[in-house]
Amino acid sequence: GVSADHAFGAAGDHTVTLTVKDDGNRTATTTRTVTVHPALLPFADCFERDTGPVDGWTAALGAWQINPDGMVEVTTGGTEAFLYAGSPPRLLGPEFVAEVDWNILDGTVVDVWRHAALNFFWNKATTNRGDTTTRGYQIFFIDRGSDRGLNLLRWTAGAWTLLNPGGPGTPGITEPPSNLRIEVDGPTIRIYADGNLAIEADDSTYRDGLFALYAYTGVHAVFDNVRLGVSELPECGAAPLEAPTNLHV
């Protein structure tokens, strides 16, 4: 069918009215509010500042704090936790590279245990992966016996699809790597664990959305040295580029 494209001059909420006309000259009109996010890339945060709440990020759920060691720390109770890059959250472009250091210290939910993730290309700052109005990708580590290791999932309307080519989990990775790297290059998504290719999958279903740190219920985890770029990683402390003024939805 026919599609429409429009470039907005600034981020924020915009009222959009769409009018369609059929071959019989009959028309119908609908009006919606759309939110345009500013661009995220490049983005780098090594959390080398005072302890306390994580400025420059959006905590959608969970008690996220910069700890005395200069890392972002979260301990979840009865809920999951999401921390979105940017305040307000900023939008990833269609291709990017990202690296994050992390340590999943503990997990208390029986048969799940340690479970944390990086989320990317999520359409909104959700607090529930199973929300039927959300979608995106997730690379997570889990201790669960049936899929222990790293798993790359595509979430769509509350349901997930495993993208690991060899099936659930990564048999060669039974402990959380200290560094995760994501590369999105055309239709291909690559996941590296401590510099070694762990997962490579072709899936281009989503190519825009938000980036977030994630921890499952009952998990204690720390994250550090978050860096995202289009093709090269920025250094922490570098001046960020200005967000573009020509934004599309």
Side-chain angles (χ1 to χ4, degrees), residues 45-48 70 99-101 179 223-227 236:
D45 198 342
C46 295
F47 309 109
E48 297 169 344
E99 283 195 17
V100 177
D101 295 335
N179 175 270
F223 299 80
D224 200 5
N225 301 323
V226 179
R227 298 185 296 151
C236 284

Side-chain angles (χ1 to χ4, degrees), residues 9-26:
D13 292 337
H14 299 268
T15 300
V16 175
T17 299
L18 177 68
T19 301
V20 295
K21 182 185 294 186
D22 66 12
D23 293 338
N25 218 29
R26 295 175 293 242

Side-chain angles (χ1 to χ4, degrees), residues 75-90:
T75 301
T76 62
T79 66
E80 301 167 302
F82 300 77
L83 184 68
Y84 290 87
S87 179
R90 290 176 172 259

Side-chain angles (χ1 to χ4, degrees), residues 32 81 95 142 170 191 211 236:
R32 296 286 188 274
E95 295 188 349
I142 194 167
T170 46
I191 307 298
F211 180 88
C236 284

